Amino acid sequence: MPAEEKLHSKEILLNEYAVKADRIHTVQQLLKAYTLFDKDTEYVVMDGAVKIVDEQTGRILDGRRYSDGLHQAIEAKENVKIEASTQTYATVTLQNYFRMYHKLAGMTGTAETEAGEFWSIYKLDVVSIPTNVKAIRKDEQDLVYKTKREKYKAVIDEIEKLRAAGRPTLVGTTSVEISELLARMLKQKNIPHNVLNAKQHAREAQIVAEAGFAGAVTIATNMAGRGTDIKLGTGVKESGGLAILGTERHESRRVDRQLRGRAGRQGDPGTSQFFVSLEDNLMRMFGSERIAGLMDRMGYKEGEVIQHSMISKSIERAQKKVEENNFGIRKRLLEYDDVMNKQRNVVYGKRNHALFGERLALDLDNAFYSVAEGLINSFKEGNDHEGFKLTAIMNFGIDTAITAEELNKVDVPTLSERLYNEAITQYRRKSEAMVAQTLPIIKNIRATQGNHIENVAVPFTDGKRGVQVLTSLDKYLATEGVELNNALERSITLALIDDAWKEHLRAMDDLRHSVQTAGYEQKDPLVIYKIEAFSAFKQMDDEVNKNIVSFLCHCGIPMEQTKDASIKEGKEKKTDMSNMRQRKEEFATSSTGGREYASQDNEYIDPSPAVKQEPIKADPKIGRNDPCPCGSGKKFKNCHGASE
């Protein structure tokens, strides 16, 4: 089979594989959506949209979406509008976010159980402050039933008794689904009640305000009025205060304590009681068979209950084990994010240099040297002078004076310095030429259009992508055009760093999932992740440097633009902080060829091509191990493909 047909067949196979891999991934996400994610537990459907529910607080996480196509799979399952997938622009864990503060402190009623984690992560001590008025709330031992059906029946019976005694009742549930189940059971008994869950979060303040009235029944998920004092109505103190009924023990003791803490505020009377069944998730994980065996030996009958301090302590021990496991997961997550945090600091440091102009010149100088050194290292080993000269043209736009003999014999630092000096000299010469090209036009704008013009937008293109550079007219004239070059460097550096960082975040997320299989080889996935992450970051950094240098060395102002005097007034975009939406104001339009960056926006625009150039013909893709088409007899990866 001829080489061209082989390449064509390879390309068809690769395309087919990509399509099939994408379909397999979609099916996997659909299976997850149908089997692991339950409506009214992990998410709710409101106003024709799928909204995530926080499992700890029961509140809706507005604006949050599951990644990697999972949210779209759930939308397909619920038959609502499938929204476009989201792109991660930046990530940080809460732990590293809080660590950015110089001073850190907090106040909560339930930190005591997590004192170890506070010290381990933040080096913060937990101090218990005595209550203002002694708490007289009575916390009863847990009531343990064999089945959920018996448990919920007992809860409804208890609500009826408490209501008859004139006491308000707050019923805590672990999910939206259970809160609605209890609501239906109360409705059948004609017991008036309020439901406070993720679907009624807008009425939270009103529902909590009514929760302390005599005979009031409030069903709530774990967010139950936190931070709000439930005021007791007339005669409630005398009848025993607010009664808390927990329908299930939560995995975290903190959440159970928050629920108990709704009653007995500021010395008020109150009681708390948890109802547990052997079918509850926590009980099934820890020892429900042993307790079930004990109940059978004691001649248990349906509807009977066990209440003993030993069982309550056993449940607390189970909760402690789950908390320790969850802490381990969070600590591991932090260890992974610490790797990303170092990379994040480097990238945001470079962004700040570009954004504020500090040290940008030094960063670009380092980028030029880094690219020059990379080229020398790549081609010196194979002594490929032709490939070296071609790549120097592609990266720096120069026909280097370094000979084949010098490339072979002279040391790397000396050659790197020579290539760097050639590139930087050519770039400075080109920058001066651009200033000379634009200075008369921009002076004419000030002369003809007056002093009210603040900014001008100048189009640049390297033939593949374009950028609209917004620069201050006063600064431009004061610096005799140097400010335009500074603005160009800032704009393209920011745009290329942001694009590369977004893709890097996606790649790192994939890497984190892929290294987990290293455990099967008796290797620590975290160590593998650190090694691979360093390599990926180095590659991204090299690619960003190469792209920035290549654009700066090849870009220019299209002649059609200067002839048409298309360098016009540019308006700086404002950010409306009231609704966090950018107000799009038109820049002076450009008709450069290829993709275009909008200055300070990092969005690609697709302008109409005006630069007269031949259409680019895509050559067949060459495999890294295929013979190089230049005829050298070497593999492509060791010849012209070495710089890719």
Side-chain angles (χ1 to χ4, degrees), residues 376-423:
I376 298 295
N377 279 320
S378 295
F379 291 96
K380 186 175 176 61
E381 189 178 339
N383 195 23
D384 179 10
H385 187 252
E386 281 302 313
F388 167 66
K389 290 196 75 169
L390 183 64
T391 312
I393 292 169
M394 288 167 62
N395 283 280
F396 295 121
I398 59 170
D399 187 9
T400 177
I402 297 171
T403 64
E405 188 181 357
E406 288 171 331
L407 183 66
N408 187 29
K409 293 182 179 177
V410 180
D411 61 282
V412 171
T414 305
L415 289 174
S416 300
E417 190 69 30
R418 277 187 60 185
L419 183 59
Y420 158 77
N421 285 328
E422 286 179 354

Side-chain angles (χ1 to χ4, degrees), residues 27 36 86 126 131 164 171 187 222 237 246 312 319 323 338 444 465 473 500 512 519 546 563:
V27 170
L36 301 179
T86 53
V126 173
T131 55
V171 185
K187 197 172 182 181
N222 292 321
K237 282 188 182 180
S312 295
Q319 288 176 308
E323 285 168 8
D338 282 340
N444 185 52
R465 59 169 72 89
L473 186 55
R512 192 172 144 207
K546 197 180 288 185
K563 284 177 187 173

Side-chain angles (χ1 to χ4, degrees), residues 247-263:
T247 59
E248 189 176 336
R249 281 286 199 157
H250 196 272
E251 285 184 354
S252 170
R253 289 172 294 168
R254 287 187 65 242
V255 178
D256 288 346
R257 287 184 170 199
Q258 284 172 349
L259 183 59
R260 286 193 196 275
R262 300 307 94 215

Side-chain angles (χ1 to χ4, degrees), residues 410-475:
V410 180
D411 61 282
V412 171
T414 305
L415 289 174
S416 300
E417 190 69 30
R418 277 187 60 185
L419 183 59
Y420 158 77
N421 285 328
E422 286 179 354
I424 208 77
T425 303
Q426 170 65 17
Y427 172 57
R428 285 170 183 159
R429 194 181 298 126
K430 188 177 74 64
S431 299
E432 288 168 5
M434 282 196 299
V435 169
Q437 184 184 3
T438 58
L439 197 57
I441 300 168
I442 293 177
K443 280 184 175 177
N444 185 52
I445 289 173
R446 172 49 58 90
T448 57
Q449 298 188 38
N451 293 328
H452 71 280
I453 305 293
E454 293 183 10
N455 301 304
V456 287
V458 183
F460 287 89
T461 180
D462 66 348
K464 292 179 289 185
R465 59 169 72 89
V467 60
Q468 284 275 12
V469 175
L470 193 70
T471 186
S472 164
L473 186 55
D474 290 337
K475 280 187 182 178

Side-chain angles (χ1 to χ4, degrees), residues 170-229:
L170 179 64
V171 185
T173 64
T174 54
S175 71
V176 176
E177 187 180 27
I178 295 170
S179 68
E180 293 188 340
L181 169 68
L182 287 171
R184 287 195 298 271
M185 293 175 75
L186 288 172
K187 197 172 182 181
Q188 285 177 349
K189 293 264 188 176
N190 294 319
I191 298 174
H193 59 278
N194 278 321
V195 180
L196 176 57
N197 58 32
K199 292 183 177 179
Q200 280 85 31
H201 68 281
R203 295 180 55 233
E204 181 175 351
Q206 181 191 343
I207 292 170
V208 171
E210 297 170 0
F213 295 166
V217 178
T218 309
I219 302 171
T221 46
N222 292 321
M223 63 183 180
R226 293 179 308 152
T228 308
D229 213 5

